[in-house]
Each structure stands twice: as structure tokens, then as C-alpha cells.
Amino acid sequence: MKKILGVVAIIAIAIFYTGVFYVTEIEEAIVVRMGQPVRKPIMKAGLNFKIPFIEKVDKFDKRLLEYDAEPKEIITKDKKNIVIDNYARFKISNPLLFLQTVHDEAGAQVRLDDIIYSELRQNIGRYTLTEILSSKREDIMRTVTKNSDEKAREFGIVIVDVRIKRADLPQQNELNVYKRMQTERAQQAKKYRAEGKEQALQIESKADQEKTTILAEAYRKAEEIKGEGDAKALQIYADAYNKDPDFYKFTRSLDAYKKIFSQKNKNRIIISTDSDLFNLFGGVK
């Protein structure tokens, strides 16, 4: 009898544990029987019950979920191929509708892939490659997010944001683009070097002109100062001569002797002793 009671107790405990489930703060739950929901979605956290072995529980994450797509190739308005790597953030807004249409997150990922790629292809095809990579990117993503969200709501999904992680050229086109960029940069560099050389020549020419002007002005001033000095020297010599002509003549002769008989003067001079140059030696015996 005790063994029977023990077995019954074990079965009762097993039935109790299989009939009890807990929903956390980050979850929503739906009780299904034979694949069909039997009650309203459980939105609040807490302990709940179901019929053991007959009913099962599907739980869904209430948090913000992420969809990360595989990179895909899209054609732009100017017929350029571009590889778009995008992602999206979404939430399960209606768990019952979500269960009935896509069943689980894997099914949602497949559905979102179709919706978002279709919107990206349609909107990116309206713009050129340059516009997509610069000025129109934000406008494109706002439009894609809005349109994708409207289509996803019929599956119990709210799309919060769609973004492009990376936009690349196909591998076969990258080399041609890089070569064209190199050619354009080389032409631009050549233009800059030519402009720089022209400016350098202009600067050098201007500098030479200013140099010539400065040197000419300096020479003019030097000649003026030299002329003024010579005039003053002549004036001093004239004043000295007028005061004592004999003494002046005497000192000038001494200066001449000093230069003639200097050791630096290696020239030989032969002159008569009765010349004016030797007048001062007239009294020498």
C-alpha cells in the first residue's frame, strides 16, 4: 500500500510540475493545445498553470530584438552595383498574431529579410551611388524603416529602426574604381604642382624685383652719403689750406712719403732730387 501511495505521490508531483510554468519580466507566453491558442496571451510575470501533457507554452521575448541580414547586391539609379549590409531592430507587438503568422523568431527573420530587402532595393534604386553614400542616406533609411514597419505589423512585429552597416562595391568593380580614383588623384596632384610652381616663380620674380629696387636705393643713398662726406672732407682740406698753406703742404708731403716708402709698396721709383717731392729734403747734407 505504501508503495502505491508513493507512486501516486510521484505521479502527482510530476503532473503538478508539468502543469506549472513561470513567465519572467522579459517574456510573453501563449498556451496552445494541438497547435491552437486556448487563452489570451499572458503578458504579466508570474506563476501560471496549464493542462499537463496536453497543453504546451510558447514564450516570446518582450525586449528589443535584432535582425542582421546577409550582404546583398542592389542596383542604383545610375546603374551601379552596390553591396548593402544592413540590420534592423524590432519588437514583438502582438504575440498571438506573431505565433499565428511566423511562429517563432526564425520565421520572423525570414519574413523581415523579404520585407526589408524589398524596401531597400526599391528605395536605393531611386538614387545615384554618390547620393546613397552621402546626402540621401538618412532619408533612404527613414523611408525604409517606415514602409517596412507598416508591412511587418500584419505579422505582429514593430520595426523600430533599419540601418546600413556597410555599403561596398562588388569585388569585380573595386579595382576599376580604385584605378579611376588613382588617376583622378594623380591629375589633381599634377595640377596642384603646376599651380605651386607658377606661384613659386611669381614669388621669386617679385623677390628679385624687390631685391633690385632695394640694392639700387641703397647704392643711391650710399653715393649721396659718400658725396656729402667727400664735400665735407674737401671743405676741411680747404679750410686747413687757407689757414696755413705751408703747413698743409708739409703734412700732405709727409702722407705722400709714408705711402711711397711703405714696406707694402714693392714698386721702384726713380725721380730727380730736385723735384717737388724732395723739396723737404733740400736741407739735408
Side-chain angles (χ1 to χ4, degrees), residues 186-199:
Q187 290 176 350
Q188 193 171 19
K190 185 177 180 180
K191 177 184 176 184
Y192 288 155
R193 283 194 292 266
E195 291 177 351
K197 188 174 181 179
E198 182 181 356
Q199 291 181 0

Side-chain angles (χ1 to χ4, degrees), residues 141-153:
M141 300 321 299
R142 277 194 294 267
T143 303
V144 170
T145 300
K146 178 178 178 295
N147 295 343
S148 299
D149 178 58
E150 291 175 356
K151 292 180 179 180
R153 286 181 182 271

Side-chain angles (χ1 to χ4, degrees), residues 116-129:
I116 295 174
Y117 177 67
S118 175
E119 288 296 327
L120 280 171
R121 184 177 58 191
Q122 182 178 355
N123 285 275
I124 286 177
R126 297 173 181 172
Y127 299 96
T128 65
L129 178 61

Side-chain angles (χ1 to χ4, degrees), residues 50-66:
K50 65 181 179 64
I51 299 174
F53 308 112
I54 298 177
E55 297 177 344
K56 73 183 188 73
V57 179
D58 288 325
K59 295 181 178 180
F60 305 97
D61 201 326
K62 294 167 62 175
R63 295 172 296 180
L64 197 63
L65 304 174
E66 185 170 301

Side-chain angles (χ1 to χ4, degrees), residues 174-265:
E174 287 183 355
L175 184 59
N176 293 333
V177 173
Y178 291 151
K179 286 182 178 178
R180 186 171 68 252
M181 291 173 63
Q182 288 176 346
T183 301
E184 291 175 353
R185 295 297 182 273
Q187 290 176 350
Q188 193 171 19
K190 185 177 180 180
K191 177 184 176 184
Y192 288 155
R193 283 194 292 266
E195 291 177 351
K197 188 174 181 179
E198 182 181 356
Q199 291 181 0
L201 291 174
Q202 291 177 355
I203 293 172
E204 289 178 1
S205 176
K206 185 177 179 181
D208 290 340
Q209 184 179 2
E210 291 178 353
K211 173 185 175 182
T212 302
T213 302
I214 292 171
L215 290 176
E217 182 65 19
Y219 180 77
R220 184 186 65 81
K221 289 184 178 180
E223 290 298 315
E224 288 180 355
I225 294 171
K226 183 179 178 181
E228 293 175 356
D230 290 341
K232 289 182 179 180
L234 290 174
Q235 183 63 41
I236 293 172
Y237 289 147
D239 293 342
Y241 181 79
N242 291 331
K243 288 182 179 180
D244 193 342
D246 293 336
F247 181 75
Y248 178 78
K249 185 177 180 180
F250 174 74
T251 57
R252 295 293 289 175
S253 297
L254 290 179
D255 290 337
Y257 294 157
K258 183 177 181 181
K259 292 180 181 180
I260 291 172
F261 301 117
S262 172
Q263 293 181 354
K264 294 180 180 180
N265 189 0

Side-chain angles (χ1 to χ4, degrees), residues 31-38 54-56 58 99-100 103:
V31 179
V32 297
R33 185 188 306 159
M34 304 296 292
Q36 297 296 322
V38 295
I54 298 177
E55 297 177 344
K56 73 183 188 73
D58 288 325
L99 176 66
Q100 292 172 338
H103 304 295

